[in-house]
């Protein structure tokens, strides 16, 4: 299928990427492979596509002769040797010992992967098994046997996880056939076509054996995986049919580059990157740190496959992918650690944030090779920054390609490449499209997880992230500079911190059971119910795997490097729909809270109102929860409201509290504002198995010291209002002076209006909830909004956003002297009004984005 210019422009109009149409580029710079001649203009070269794919996976003689690739080559050979031993030791019903086939889709997927890994070893120049024709024959024989006994019969296949059948198995089989294309053509000439026909038939969520862009399964990272496989399959098939497959696969994959417009969805797809840098997968899950990484890896890999083939201009796609890195990934990576709230169920895996970021460094290394000029320099500098800032440096031996290992080594050794973050030192980012907020300063990163009727409260699936219930209810993660984040967060954090006591969360006091505990399997099984609950059904997604909230109010505003966020905590969809669900389906009512976060230079101010429970249960609001290694020395100090010193744990009315990890040289202060109720301070040594949070984790105990500070309400207590500030790296002296210096004032804290003023910053932050006119400190706001006003002499800056994403317009009246416009975003109108200056902010179709204006009284 030929791509028309109009079609590509319709997909990528904002990026000006019509130049992605079939094109014959020069060879990308920086590879260790000797470049083949590019295709002639207008011609295409499927053989080069295959050659690029093999080189990307196995390396070249030049790359593999470098000492930096020795560990990778050794790992490839070691894995292949182990698999060959298992192949020799296989029993009845197995291809590899220990992987019985016929009922386990996981075992079948692993079997295909291990055959691919053996094939890879035989095509890796300089490796122990390079060119071993006997081993290659064993792989081809194994593929033939697998197809004959356990894969080719469509009537007995497709059990278990759809992903194995449509993506996982196809990825391994396609890659193995690409690596062994020549011996397969000689020894088993029908094998490739046989497999391609079966892989097409297993695309059961597709249409006519191909991708279906209207399918909820063929989106985002999943779509990129499927279409990359089909690109290689087309090259393997050759001829007119292969050419058509390549072009169709490329056309389908191009859709993942298009920025999602929530007001004009293509094929109903919400998965992908948004204008504010958000990434969503599974239709409503904030997922930059897992599926987003997968998409980044796959598209950069495809750029390498397409290089010089004439099918497309991969360089034209680089600006789009660079924007993903700069605006999507960079804010979420702190000192080499991928932050937790954008990892979905993967947050419970043991690999951790440093390993997550290593895959980003790997992809960006290759992306920089396709870029030029300032963009290439920025990407290269960022790779070096990720290496320099991480407590656990990326291990290039784990990179998938020897070519990438060589590029990475050359980049790190280049004295002309300075390490440089893509973030400015101070940055506040509102990822409102995925209900996340990131606030960064040189000494810390504060990441907030919200939820709404648009975005899921959490993701649970396949026995992963077993206790996720409150992860989207205002849970925060405060990452401190100089800290080994693997000792503070990761799977060990979720294993040792109570799921009801996550930092920032207001939760009812009750015991919930995990999905396996409730239903005896990793999902709710009830296919005969009208909602048709099966492992991969839409109802399973809606009510079990990633339920959304039921209120629209979740958003925030940004003004320069300062920010705010707001959330009306809600019940989830299962509770709201409890009358239509089966009687044995467990639902949970949530506690209530209206919350605001004001993100300043030295502190994060939290206001909460209507904190309580309509069902009369006890409620806990956790100010913070932090973990440390068991051998670290911790100190808890503070001051009572009357001025008496406080030390250790217990319950008291405190003015301030300080948590200090003297071993790790980190500290966080907590200033309790206004007439705060008593605070309960805890410090316990907790040991739990990593399997507590993920059934596939090893049954390995993890021990951490767990600090918590929380407000506790008794059953049937009246709703509370709470105000406090988190002050990273605060000293005792600074906390003692905090409430006395008068820089910060809480102006309002009700379910309708929450506002603060910081005189040192000249900032007033206002979050409004509900209809009608809201008035505070000379600022009048109509309806729900997030508004920031900063005054500096005669200069006034205003930022306003709609946290519901439902309003056409937000109006803000600034009382006092009339102001004139210096600069304003499109959609902001300013005029004189009785008693002051009126700003009309057109929030229709901007999806929570902050619109700003700069005014002056001169």
């Amino acid at each position: 299928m030929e791509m028309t210019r109009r079609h590509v422009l319709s997909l990528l109009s904002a990026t000006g990427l019509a130049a992605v149409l079939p094109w014959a580029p020069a060879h990308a710079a920086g590879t260790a492979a000797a470049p083949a001649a590019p295709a002639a203009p207008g011609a295409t070269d499927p053989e080069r596509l295959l050659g690029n794919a093999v080189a990307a996976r196995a390396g070249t003689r030049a790359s593999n002769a470098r000492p930096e690739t020795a560990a990778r080559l050794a790992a490839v050979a070691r894995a292949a040797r182990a698999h060959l031993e298992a192949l020799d030791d296989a029993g009845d019903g197995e291809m590899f010992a220990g992987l019985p086939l016929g009922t386990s889709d996981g075992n079948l997927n692993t079997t295909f992967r291990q055959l691919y890994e053996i094939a890879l070893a035989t095509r890796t120049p300089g490796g122990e098994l390079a060119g071993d024709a006997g081993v290659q024959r064993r792989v081809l024989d194994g593929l033939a046997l697998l197809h004959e006994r356990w894969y080719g019969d469509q009537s007995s296949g497709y059990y278990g996880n759809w992903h194995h059948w449509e993506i996982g198995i196809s990825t391994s089989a396609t890659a193995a056939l690409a690596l062994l294309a020549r011996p397969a053509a000689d020894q088993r000439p029908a094998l490739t076509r046989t497999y391609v026909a079966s892989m097409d038939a297993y695309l059961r969520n597709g249409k006519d054996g191909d991708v279906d862009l209207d399918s909820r399964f063929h989106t985002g990272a999943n779509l990129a995986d499927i279409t990359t496989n089909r690109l290689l399959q087309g090259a393997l098939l050759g001829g007119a049919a292969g050419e058509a497959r390549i072009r169709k696969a490329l056309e389908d994959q191009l859709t993942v580059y298009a920025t999602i417009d929530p007001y004009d969805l293509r094929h109903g797809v919400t998965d992908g990157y948004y204008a504010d840098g958000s990434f969503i997968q599974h239709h409503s899950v904030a997922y930059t740190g897992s599926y987003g990484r997968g998409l980044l890896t796959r598209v950069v890999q495809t750029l390498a496959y397409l290089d010089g083939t004439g099918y497309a201009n991969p360089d034209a796609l680089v600006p789009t992918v660079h924007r993903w890195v700069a605006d999507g990934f960079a804010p979420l990576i702190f000192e080499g650690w991928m932050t937790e709230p954008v990892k979905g169920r993967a947050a419970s895996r043991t690999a951790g944030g440093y390993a997550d970021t290593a895959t980003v460094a790997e992809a960006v290394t290759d992306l920089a090779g396709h870029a030029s000029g300032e963009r290439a320099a920025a990407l290269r500098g960022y790779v070096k920054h990720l290496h320099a800032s991480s407590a656990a440096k990326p291990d290039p031996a784990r990179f998938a390609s020897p070519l990438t290992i060589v590029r990475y080594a050359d980049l790190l050794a280049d004295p002309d490449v300075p390490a440089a973050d893509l973030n400015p030192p101070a940055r506040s980012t509102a990822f409102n499209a995925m209900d996340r907020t990131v606030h960064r300063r040189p000494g810390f990163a504060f990441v907030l997880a919200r939820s709404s009727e648009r975005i899921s409260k959490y993701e649970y699936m396949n026995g992963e992230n077993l206790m996720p219930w409150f992860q989207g209810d205002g849970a925060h993660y405060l990452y401190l500079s100089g800290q080994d984040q693997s000792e503070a967060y990761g799977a060990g954090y979720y294993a040792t911190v109570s799921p009801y006591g996550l930092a920032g969360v207001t939760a009812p006091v009750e015991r919930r059971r995990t999905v396996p505990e409730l239903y005896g399997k990793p999902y709710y099984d009830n296919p005969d119910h009208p909602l048709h609950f099966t492992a991969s059904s839409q109802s399973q997604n809606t009510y079990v795997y990633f339920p959304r909230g039921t209120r629209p109010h979740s958003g925030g505003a940004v003004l320069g490097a300062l920010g705010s966020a707001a959330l009306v905590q809600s019940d989830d969809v299962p509770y709201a729909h409890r009358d239509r669900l089966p009687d044995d389906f467990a639902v949970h009512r949530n506690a209530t809270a209206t919350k605001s976060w004001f993100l300043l230079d030295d502190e994060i101010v939290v206001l909460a109102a209507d904190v309580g429970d309509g069902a009369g249960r006890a409620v806990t609001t956790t100010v913070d929860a932090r973990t440390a290694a068991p051998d670290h020395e911790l100190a808890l100090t503070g001051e009572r409201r009357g001025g008496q010193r406080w030390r250790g744990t217990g319950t008291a009315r405190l003015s301030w509290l300080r948590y200090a990890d003297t071993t790790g040289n980190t500290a966080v202060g907590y200033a309790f504002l206004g007439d705060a109720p008593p605070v309960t301070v805890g410090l316990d040594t907790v040991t739990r198995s990593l399997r507590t949070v993920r059934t596939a984790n090893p049954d390995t105990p993890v021990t951490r010291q767990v600090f918590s500070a929380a407000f506790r309400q008794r059953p049937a207590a009246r709703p509370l209002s709470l105000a406090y500030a988190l002050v990273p790296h605060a000293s005792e002296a600074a906390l003692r002076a905090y409430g006395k210096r008068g820089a910060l004032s809480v102006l309002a804290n009700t379910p309708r209006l929450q506002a603060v003023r910081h005189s040192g910053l000249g900032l007033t932050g206002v979050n409004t909830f509900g209809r009608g006119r809201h008035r505070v400190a000379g600022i009048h706001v109509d309806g729900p909004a997030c508004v920031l006003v900063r005054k500096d002499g005669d200069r006034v800056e205003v930022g306003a956003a709609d946290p519901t994403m439902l309003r056409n317009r937000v109006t803000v009246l600034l009382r006092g002297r009339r102001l004139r416009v210096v600069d304003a975003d499109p959609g902001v109108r300013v005029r004189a009004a009785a008693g002051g200056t009126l700003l009309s902010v057109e929030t229709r179709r901007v999806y929570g984005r902050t619109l700003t204006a700069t005014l002056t009284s001169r």
Side-chain angles (χ1 to χ4, degrees):
M1 179 182 293
E2 187 71 22
M3 289 181 295
T4 65
R5 182 174 296 274
R6 175 174 295 179
H7 182 65
V8 174
L9 285 173
S10 74
L11 296 175
L12 305 166
S13 57
T15 65
L17 291 177
V20 79
L21 291 167
W23 175 82
H27 187 79
T31 69
T44 54
D45 187 353
E47 285 297 322
R48 173 149 183 172
L49 196 157
L50 275 181
N52 288 344
V54 171
R57 291 174 179 274
T60 65
R61 291 187 182 279
S63 69
N64 295 5
R66 292 276 296 268
E68 296 91 347
T69 62
R72 170 61 182 165
L73 268 59
V76 169
R78 188 164 53 249
R81 292 289 187 195
H83 298 336
L84 287 168
E85 288 183 11
L87 196 61
D88 292 335
D89 295 339
D92 291 341
E94 298 177 335
M95 180 162 289
F96 294 99
L99 293 174
L101 300 174
T103 59
S104 170
D105 56 310
N107 285 355
L108 185 62
N109 183 65
T110 301
T111 296
F112 273 100
R113 177 176 53 79
Q114 292 184 175
L115 282 177
Y116 155 71
E117 290 173 350
I118 297 171
L120 176 64
T122 72
R123 290 300 312 275
T124 300
E128 295 177 20
L129 296 175
D132 191 319
V135 173
Q136 291 177 349
R137 181 180 291 276
R138 293 191 72 180
V139 172
L140 293 174
D141 290 347
L143 288 171
L145 185 62
L146 276 177
H147 193 277
E148 178 185 345
R149 293 189 182 178
W150 295 293
Y151 181 71
D153 185 351
Q154 292 285 321
S155 65
S156 62
Y158 211 90
Y159 46 87
N161 190 333
W162 76 271
H163 190 278
H164 287 150
W165 298 95
E166 300 202 25
I167 296 177
I169 291 171
S170 296
T171 298
S172 297
T174 301
L177 290 167
L179 288 164
L180 303 183
R182 288 183 181 176
D186 293 338
Q187 300 167 28
R188 292 184 174 271
L191 186 63
T192 294
R193 291 186 180 276
T194 298
Y195 257 97
V196 170
S198 290
M199 289 188 283
D200 286 352
Y202 277 122
L203 278 177
R204 297 190 185 177
N205 288 298
K207 182 184 296 181
D208 300 325
D210 199 353
V211 164
D212 180 6
L213 295 178
D214 291 315
S215 169
R216 64 186 173 91
F217 295 88
H218 293 187
T219 63
N222 290 333
L223 177 61
D225 286 337
I226 293 169
T227 52
T228 299
N229 290 340
R230 293 180 71 79
L231 281 172
L232 293 180
Q233 292 159 14
L236 285 166
L237 290 175
E243 190 81 3
R245 179 180 288 254
I246 291 170
R247 293 181 181 276
K248 173 61 163 55
L250 179 57
E251 182 181 1
D252 289 337
Q253 188 169 122
L254 283 175
T255 63
V256 305
Y257 291 87
T259 300
I260 301 294
D261 179 355
Y263 304 103
D264 184 20
L265 295 175
R266 304 300 176 91
H267 305 282
V269 172
T270 58
D271 289 358
Y273 283 95
Y274 288 68
D276 66 2
S278 297
F279 177 81
I280 290 174
Q281 187 78 30
H282 291 164
H283 314 289
S284 59
V285 179
Y287 235 146
T288 313
S290 183
Y291 273 91
R293 287 189 299 112
L295 178 59
L296 176 67
T297 296
R298 186 65 67 222
V299 299
V300 172
Q301 183 184 71
T302 305
L303 295 181
Y305 291 178
L306 293 171
D307 180 38
T309 64
Y311 288 106
N313 174 5
D315 297 345
L317 298 169
V318 170
T320 297
V321 186
H322 173 252
R323 187 168 63 251
W324 296 352
V325 175
D327 295 334
F329 285 93
L332 291 161
I333 296 174
F334 181 70
E335 295 187 352
W337 181 269
M338 176 66 71
T339 53
E340 267 67 22
V342 291
K343 294 165 65 172
R345 68 184 191 272
S348 64
R349 298 173 187 169
T350 57
Y354 294 125
D356 295 333
T357 297
T359 64
V360 176
E362 181 179 3
V364 176
T365 297
D366 288 335
L367 181 64
H370 292 284
S372 59
E374 293 182 0
R375 180 170 285 113
L379 291 169
R380 287 165 63 84
Y382 186 57
V383 171
K384 214 168 198 180
H385 164 76
L386 292 177
H387 176 87
S389 64
S390 178
K393 314 296 184 190
D395 180 5
R398 295 180 178 272
F399 289 0
S401 174
L403 301 181
T404 311
I405 294 172
V406 170
R407 294 186 189 110
Y408 187 74
D410 290 345
L411 191 158
L412 294 184
D414 190 341
D416 295 328
V417 177
D421 196 352
L422 292 173
N423 293 282
R427 182 177 188 179
S428 199
T429 307
F431 290 114
N432 285 328
M434 63 177 180
D435 280 355
R436 299 295 185 266
T437 301
V438 179
H439 187 64
R440 297 173 64 110
R441 289 299 184 268
F444 68 89
F446 175 85
V447 187
L448 176 67
R450 300 176 274 109
S451 58
S452 64
E453 64 183 17
R454 304 173 299 275
I455 296 299
S456 300
K457 284 179 169 283
Y458 55 81
E459 189 198 42
Y460 157 83
M461 195 186 296
N462 299 335
E464 295 189 290
N465 204 21
L466 289 164
M467 300 183 291
W469 307 293
F470 304 101
Q471 290 173 4
D473 283 333
H476 76 248
Y477 302 79
L478 181 56
Y479 303 90
L480 303 176
S481 60
Q483 186 174 40
D484 182 347
Q485 306 300 340
S486 66
E487 294 180 347
Y489 290 107
Y493 175 82
Y494 294 108
T496 54
V497 174
S498 165
Y500 316 96
L502 299 177
V505 162
T506 294
V509 177
E510 62 182 10
R511 185 191 180 279
R512 299 185 181 186
R513 291 187 292 164
T514 68
V515 169
E517 287 173 337
L518 285 166
Y519 309 122
K521 57 179 61 178
Y523 56 94
Y524 177 68
D525 192 22
N526 194 342
D528 297 328
H529 187 270
L531 290 173
H532 187 60
F533 283 93
T534 63
S536 298
S537 67
Q538 183 63 58
S539 294
Q540 199 79 223
N541 293 346
T542 301
Y543 297 112
V544 180
Y545 289 159
F546 32 89
R548 305 185 195 203
T550 50
R551 299 286 292 269
H553 199 120
S554 176
V558 173
L559 190 61
L562 304 174
S564 68
L567 171 69
V568 177
Q569 187 162 300
S570 67
D571 292 315
D572 60 16
V573 167
Y575 183 80
H577 293 181
R578 58 194 180 278
D579 291 341
R580 68 183 73 167
L581 291 168
D583 291 340
D584 64 341
F585 191 96
V587 298
H588 304 288
R589 184 176 185 177
N590 206 0
T592 61
T594 297
K595 292 188 177 183
S596 291
W597 295 261
F598 297 99
L599 313 170
L600 311 178
D601 267 347
D602 298 323
E603 67 257 275
I604 297 97
V605 180
V606 185
L607 304 184
D610 191 32
V611 180
D613 182 66
R617 295 166 296 183
V619 171
T620 299
T621 297
T622 303
V623 174
D624 204 5
R626 305 196 64 80
T627 70
D631 60 343
H632 280 209
E633 183 178 342
L634 306 181
L636 306 179
T637 56
E639 187 175 285
R640 295 177 183 266
R641 192 67 53 81
Q644 302 94 336
R645 294 280 294 170
W646 166 273
R647 187 175 298 277
T649 61
T651 301
R653 291 184 179 272
L654 299 177
S655 296
W656 59 267
L657 173 69
R658 183 174 185 262
Y659 163 90
D661 182 343
T662 57
T663 306
N665 195 31
T666 59
V668 182
Y670 310 92
F672 302 103
L673 310 173
D675 187 23
V679 182
T680 297
V681 181
L683 180 62
D684 300 291
T685 298
V686 178
T687 300
R688 290 198 183 96
S689 171
L690 289 169
R691 197 168 288 173
T692 303
V693 294
R694 180 173 178 257
T695 57
N697 281 348
D699 190 15
T700 303
V702 58
T703 300
R704 290 193 182 176
Q705 296 183 82
V706 179
F707 156 79
S708 64
F711 298 107
R712 303 192 185 280
Q713 294 168 256
R714 295 179 178 178
R718 298 180 60 182
L720 285 177
S721 292
L722 307 169
Y724 54 90
L726 310 176
V727 192
H729 303 296
S731 65
E732 289 190 5
L735 289 167
R736 195 172 294 112
Y738 188 89
K740 301 174 183 177
R741 65 189 184 191
L744 179 72
S745 303
V746 176
L747 304 177
N749 187 12
T750 73
R752 280 183 48 81
L753 173 64
Q754 295 176 332
V756 300
R757 174 185 288 150
H758 195 290
S759 59
L761 298 172
L763 181 78
T764 302
V766 180
N767 287 342
T768 55
F769 306 84
R771 298 178 179 178
R773 180 65 61 88
H774 307 272
R775 301 176 177 86
V776 64
I779 302 171
H780 296 186
V781 180
D782 180 31
C786 294
V787 178
L788 297 170
V789 179
R790 189 172 189 179
K791 296 182 179 180
D792 184 7
D794 297 322
R795 184 183 179 91
V796 179
E797 297 175 289
V798 183
D802 168 23
T804 71
M805 302 191 189
L806 298 173
R807 306 189 62 192
N808 291 330
R809 183 179 300 105
V810 168
T811 59
V812 180
L813 176 66
L814 303 180
R815 302 280 296 175
R817 297 172 61 183
R818 293 181 179 177
L819 307 172
R820 66 176 181 84
V821 179
V822 176
D823 187 32
D825 286 339
V828 180
R829 291 180 295 166
V830 182
R831 65 177 178 87
T837 304
L838 184 67
L839 289 82
S840 179
V841 182
E842 299 295 323
T843 55
R844 181 176 179 269
R845 299 176 72 91
V846 301
Y847 216 59
R849 178 164 56 91
T850 302
L851 299 179
T852 63
T854 301
L855 315 172
T856 183
S857 59
R858 290 186 179 179

